[in-house]
Structure formats: C-alpha cells, structure tokens
Amino acid sequence: MGGRIASVAAALCLLAGCSRPTAGELFLPAPRNSYDFPLTVEDSLAQYDFSFFTRVDFESKVSEPLRLDVAWVSPADSSVWRETVYMLAGSQDGTLQRYRTGVTFPRTGKWTLKVSMSPEIKGLRGLGLVWKENGWDTIN
C-alpha cells in the first residue's frame, strides 16, 4: 500500500512539472543575415513581454546604437508586421534592453520574429531574445 501511494505521488509531481513553458530565451550567434526566433503562441488572450540581449567583445568600441529591423511573421505567413528599433550594445558584460511589453497575438500558432541588424559590428557575439507570458489572473 505504501509503495502505491509513493508511486501516485511521484506521478503527480511529474505531471505538475510537465506544464508548458511560459518564459524562455534564445541566443543566436553572429554573424547572420537574419536572426529568426520561433515563438509558439498557445494563448491568444495572454500578454507577452520581450527583451533583446547581446554582447560585444572587449576590444570593440561601439558608439552608435544597433539598428534592428524587426518583422513579425504570422503562423500562416499571411501577414507581416514590421518596425525598426534601436539598441545600445557597447558592453562586454552584455546588454539587455526591453523591446515590447503587453504584446497580444491575434491567433495561436508558431510565429517567427525575424531581426536583421545594421551596422555590422566587429566583435558582436550575436543577438538573443527573452520572452515571458503573462497569463490571465483568474482570481479577479
């Protein structure tokens, strides 16, 4: 009897740990023509926060901000939303910069965030994306 209870308790712990991730990060090393970040959206009512991060080798001196040409591609490749943002990237320790907060998606599925960067910076290690899903609070 005691072994059965322990087995059920272990199974419940494993199931609780199998929930879908609500946050993540992905770093893509340089150089690239496009940094493509796949994002699986499972809740179109949730809001998402996004930040970019990068790192530049110590020898490099970066004085101008990086130009990031951003394109959001929908799951069916039927719509693309574009914008240009700028990011400071002059730190050997790395730079984390908020990109967007409270983003909602009109439909679920696999979205792709495509980013091209200019100018090319000597010593750039790559570009990363951090995201967090802010689900609805059901206690309201």
Side-chain angles (χ1 to χ4, degrees), residues 37-126:
F37 300 98
L39 301 165
T40 302
V41 176
E42 295 185 14
D43 183 356
S44 63
L45 297 177
Q47 295 183 347
Y48 296 81
D49 297 336
F50 295 96
S51 297
F52 288 118
F53 66 96
T54 190
R55 186 172 155 204
V56 178
D57 286 338
F58 181 69
E59 301 84 29
S60 298
K61 301 288 184 199
V62 180
S63 59
E64 294 182 27
L66 294 172
R67 176 185 165 146
L68 304 179
D69 293 313
V70 180
W72 289 91
V73 182
S74 68
D77 290 333
S78 60
S79 62
V80 177
W81 182 74
R82 297 178 192 279
E83 70 176 329
T84 299
V85 295
Y86 294 87
M87 176 181 185
L88 299 175
S91 173
Q92 177 187 1
D93 296 329
T95 301
L96 176 69
Q97 185 170 318
R98 183 174 295 156
Y99 165 53
R100 291 270 172 242
T101 59
V103 175
T104 58
F105 293 88
R107 69 177 69 100
T108 60
K110 185 177 176 182
W111 288 75
T112 304
L113 179 62
K114 295 178 175 250
V115 182
S116 59
M117 187 183 310
S118 63
E120 293 274 333
I121 293 180
K122 182 179 179 184
L124 180 74
R125 295 301 217 161

Side-chain angles (χ1 to χ4, degrees), residues 7-19:
S7 296
V8 169
L12 289 175
C13 288
L14 288 173
L15 286 174
C18 292
S19 63

